[in-house]
Amino acid sequence: MDKARILVLEDDEGLLMGVRDMLQIEGHAVQTATNGQEGLEIMRYGEFPPDLIISDIMMPVMNGYQFLEAVRQVEHWATIPFIFLTAKGEKQDVHAGKLMGADDYVIKPFEARDLVVAVQSKLRRQREINHAQSAVIADVKQR
């Protein structure tokens, strides 16, 4: 399996580096940004679109909600799995994030394993969806 490419947005540099290191140890290629604007620039001009995005909500310049909204407006980014990693842990915050289109919601402080499991499950599901879409396209082409 190829390395999954993950974009992590977090304004706390210590936490950002910790999440990056943890994901790299798990075998993923990780890019980082400290706010939504930087995240969009990486997505627009970076070498690759991410296979998965992990984003804080409370960040300067462009917060996580604004970033998720901007990502979901671009057609070829709309299906990228998106996980909020945030201290905003009230039920209404979780519901708001999921209603906006987040695929998962991990609340700080968190255990490393919780984030790893969320990442693995979202990446596996995305691979399944991509495989199913490829099979449908191949079937249509054969008709």
Side-chain angles (χ1 to χ4, degrees):
M1 181 181 79
D2 293 332
K3 280 186 179 186
R5 300 171 305 230
I6 300 175
L7 175 61
V8 180
L9 288 78
E10 170 61 59
D11 62 329
D12 178 312
E13 191 169 337
L15 181 56
L16 179 62
M17 296 302 107
V19 170
R20 181 202 63 196
D21 293 348
M22 178 181 58
L23 293 171
Q24 286 175 336
I25 288 168
E26 289 291 318
H28 304 299
V30 182
Q31 287 188 299
T32 61
T34 58
N35 63 63
Q37 191 62 48
E38 282 181 23
L40 286 178
E41 288 174 18
I42 287 170
M43 292 182 70
R44 284 186 187 122
Y45 307 114
E47 295 176 32
F48 58 79
D51 296 311
L52 181 135
I53 298 167
I54 299 171
S55 179
D56 188 11
I57 292 175
M58 296 178 288
M59 298 179 291
V61 185
M62 176 186 274
N63 69 37
Y65 292 135
Q66 295 164 324
F67 176 68
L68 173 58
E69 191 173 296
V71 167
R72 291 299 188 234
Q73 289 177 0
V74 178
E75 187 175 331
H76 60 275
W77 296 344
T79 61
I80 296 172
F82 195 106
I83 299 172
F84 274 131
L85 177 63
T86 183
K88 291 180 69 70
E90 298 295 319
K91 273 225 184 291
Q92 65 214 33
D93 297 318
V94 174
H95 293 164
K98 289 185 175 185
L99 284 170
M100 289 186 70
D103 298 288
D104 209 339
Y105 203 102
V106 178
I107 299 167
K108 300 174 191 171
F110 65 97
E111 290 185 27
R113 188 78 191 131
D114 292 339
L115 183 59
V116 167
V117 166
V119 166
Q120 289 173 338
S121 70
K122 299 307 166 228
L123 289 171
R124 184 183 67 247
R125 182 69 185 132
Q126 191 62 38
R127 282 192 301 274
E128 292 167 354
I129 290 168
N130 292 345
H131 180 73
Q133 288 174 336
S134 295
V136 168
I137 290 168
D139 185 49
V140 168
K141 286 181 178 179
Q142 289 180 350
R143 290 182 188 185

